[in-house]
Amino acid sequence: MAEITLTFPDQSQRQYEVGSTTLDVAKSIANSLAKKAVAGEVNGTIVDLEQPLKQAGQFRILTSDDPEGLQVLRHTAAFVLGAALKQLHGDVHFGEHQSNEDGFYLDTDRAAGQVAISELPAIKKAMQKVISANQPIERKLVDKTELLAEFKDDPYQTSLLNAIDAVQISVYRLGDYLSFGDHALLKSLAPLKHFELLSVAGAYWQGKSSNPMLQRIYGTAFFKAADLDGDLKRRAEIKERDHRTIGRDLDIFFVDPEVGAGLPYWMPNGATIRRVIERYIIDKEVANGYEHVYTPVLANLNLYKTSGHWDHYREDMFPPMDMGDGEFLELRPMNCPSHIQIYNHHNRSYRELPIRIAELGMMHRYEKSGALSGLQRVREMTLNDGHTFLAQDQIKDEFKSVLKMMMEVYDDFNITDYTFRLSYRDPANTEKYFDDDEMWNSAQAMLKGACDELGLDYYEAEGEAAFYGPKLDVQTKTALGGEETMSTIQLDFMLPEKFDLKYTGADGQEHRPVMMHRGIVGTMERFIAYLMEIYKGAFPTWLAPTQVEIIPVNLDLHTDYAKDIQKQLAAAGVRVKLDLRNEKMGYKIREAQTQKIPYTLVVGDEELKAQTVSVRRYGEKDAADEPIKIFRDSILDDIHNYSRTGSGKVNAEIESKLD
């Protein structure tokens, strides 16, 4: 009989009869391996344990310890979810199903009404009954025409079938339930004990907003109970830190899709946080030699054609507005062309360089509805943007100056978990990147040299550069376990060339400046979302929208004293509120804690007599009496010191290299 040669990960080889299964191969090695095996992998394709092997090549036996083995478990969970739903709702139609590192999902549709989150416990119970029965899952090849007849009443499955270019298709059957596709499943349902259904959400069929909205059911599954418990705790933590939840609970912002998706409204609390950050960053930049400007959010389309944004960034820009007289206006996607106009408004001399221009510039991006998320992905954003125009021999010093300012800002916000990424172009991608090898090679070498000279610990990433030049990105770890670009420094030789920028040198001749783009904290929207999740909504005192809340014990007896304290603190610049609601004192104190106000002051007979306040700090159970002056000096020190809670050792080490 014909044989195939399988090459194992250690490069050893064995011969097996054509038609042998992964289970056969595992048994030939060790019975213990056969018991642990959940699937096989042949030349990168995952196959189930009893699928006949017909191809020679690279081969792996997957167990529950492998990520791919977990993927097979989760595909099986999605399969069982479908079987259970079919038992509960015979009229349900199914869209796509998938498993990934976060769990699994199944898209569903019912004319009688979509699956509600309240139904998840009943669906889970139905799944457990299917698993307990432990019927064997049958796999076989079925003619496509037969399957089309089987699914003639399900438009989604019919569409998926028509997209498969094959005469015979792999099918899995469990009782009366049928599913097709190339996803390998477990041989037995016995390992599927530790799973949970998590949520439901709308999802457009195949991700297109022009298609029907289906109901997506999310779940997760693990081989071990401890892993499931740990994952559910992690998810609870993520939910608690989700800036959208915090934004709602603390009345910071909201988005109303009826008014405009991706267009956040800042409530007074959110506006206060944002105003404090904006004032802070403007003062910081002015102290570092930047001149702040205001430029229009609209510009003639020709400006962005000259800059290259129209050619390289068009899909992220809103359609131009036809003014009817041959003029087309465009909502700006970037601030750099506007700052170039500021530079070009005067003749420039080498004596002026470097010229630093900064702005909290509003920009607009044409984001699809499905990509929008709270403050993290929006259609209108305000970028903490800055551009420096300088001579080539000033690049290193300016690079150090910007980096030092970044580290100082990170200290003040207590940001320490980040990495440096040196972002290059992908030379093969001539559509995204401006096509000038000499310019790119020079700029990348210059930026890398500056990083090396400073001894920065960075990693390199091809294809992450801006279309006009390489950049150093500061990648921060988010509270939810992700990564995002917080700050960036970009070298640009292209835009000065495109806009014919000049300055008069010491030799009296015209020279081309270099342009350095930099953002310290990114957009206000994304930065505040990041802070909300890092702080869990408990903003440090200097950023908190309300820093102090005063609660009189008796409204008739203690209100005047409370108002006097409020007046003193407000005069010192403290953001203070007085709670004069006719509610019980315990309720007011609990609500102040729920709103995560840094300091709650309670004043009653004893405090009035001693001219003190009873101070309760957020997160602490006990209160302490303090004289008013002592408390005022203490909170002012807290505010002026940016409520620092860490040593800033990581940032200080980098700052020392820059001095």
Side-chain angles (χ1 to χ4, degrees), residues 597-616:
I597 296 171
Y599 294 93
T600 303
L601 307 184
V602 177
V603 292
D605 288 339
E606 293 183 9
E607 288 77 20
L608 175 60
K609 182 178 179 180
Q611 293 293 289
T612 60
V613 288
S614 177
V615 183
R616 184 191 298 268

Side-chain angles (χ1 to χ4, degrees), residues 622-634:
D622 298 327
D625 285 344
E626 294 181 14
I628 298 171
K629 184 179 183 306
I630 295 296
F631 172 74
R632 185 190 65 199
D633 292 346
S634 173

Side-chain angles (χ1 to χ4, degrees), residues 23-53:
L23 189 59
D24 293 331
V25 175
K27 286 178 178 177
S28 74
I29 297 172
N31 285 330
S32 58
L33 178 60
K35 290 178 181 178
K36 290 180 63 178
V38 296
E41 185 184 68
V42 185
N43 296 324
T45 300
I46 298 176
V47 297
D48 63 49
L49 283 178
E50 296 187 339
Q51 189 169 335
L53 302 175

Side-chain angles (χ1 to χ4, degrees), residues 537-548:
F539 285 93
T541 307
W542 75 285
L543 285 176
T546 299
Q547 296 165 324
V548 176

